[in-house]
Amino acid sequence: LPLCFPEKLWKMLESNQFQSIWWSEGGRCVAINKDLFKVEVLGRGVHQRVFNTQHIKSVIRQLNLYGFTKVQRDVQRSASLPEFLSEEAAASAHSQILYYYNPSFNRAHPWLLGMCKRR
C-alpha cells in the first residue's frame, strides 16, 4: 500500500536524508525551509520523487487538507537601531522557514499519526 501524505511526511522527518525539513518545537511542529525544500525534495527526478508534485503550494495544500495550521514565529525586537537591523536581517532569512502544527502529528506520540485524516 502506498503511504498517505502524513506517513510520507513522518518518514521524511525521521530520516537523516533531508536537510530542508525537520521537527521543531520539541517535536510538535514541522519546519520547512521553503527554498531548500523546492530543490531537495520537489526537484527530484520522477523515480526519486517523494510527492507527486513539483510545487510547494501543492504540499502546503496537502498540509492544510490534513489539518495542519501555519504557526507564526513571534520574535521580540530590540530598541537599539543596530540590534534591530541585525535582527531584521536574521528575520528575513528566517522568513524562508515555514512552521506547521497539527495536534495529531507529534514526534513523542507516533500512535496519533492514524488520527491525521484528510478533511
Side-chain angles (χ1 to χ4, degrees):
L1 277 169
L3 297 175
C4 68
F5 179 81
E7 292 168 336
K8 287 181 185 179
L9 194 62
W10 189 282
K11 286 182 85 67
M12 288 178 70
L13 289 161
E14 289 297 308
S15 84
N16 58 3
Q17 190 177 356
F18 302 98
Q19 305 303 304
S20 60
I21 185 167
W22 62 93
W23 290 106
S24 162
E25 304 297 319
R28 293 190 327 257
C29 288
V30 175
I32 302 171
N33 179 318
K34 197 166 49 173
D35 289 342
L36 185 56
F37 190 85
K38 287 177 187 176
V39 173
E40 182 183 56
V41 178
L42 302 177
R44 291 174 158 224
V46 176
H47 299 293
Q48 298 175 321
R49 202 164 282 158
V50 178
F51 301 114
N52 294 332
T53 186
Q54 293 177 287
H55 306 284
I56 189 78
K57 284 185 177 183
S58 297
V59 174
I60 291 169
R61 191 175 309 117
Q62 287 293 312
L63 285 165
N64 292 327
L65 279 172
Y66 279 93
F68 286 81
T69 54
K70 189 172 183 181
V71 179
Q72 297 298 329
R73 306 293 291 175
D74 292 327
V75 179
Q76 294 291 330
R77 300 287 185 216
S78 295
S80 79
L81 183 60
E83 285 180 29
F84 177 81
L85 292 175
S86 82
E87 288 170 359
E88 281 299 301
S92 174
H94 196 68
S95 70
Q96 290 301 313
I97 301 174
L98 307 173
Y99 295 91
Y100 284 89
Y101 170 77
N102 181 324
S104 298
F105 198 87
N106 186 316
R107 188 179 198 178
H109 307 292
W111 57 89
L112 291 176
L113 186 59
M115 297 179 74
C116 285
K117 301 286 185 209
R118 191 176 175 137
R119 291 181 182 169

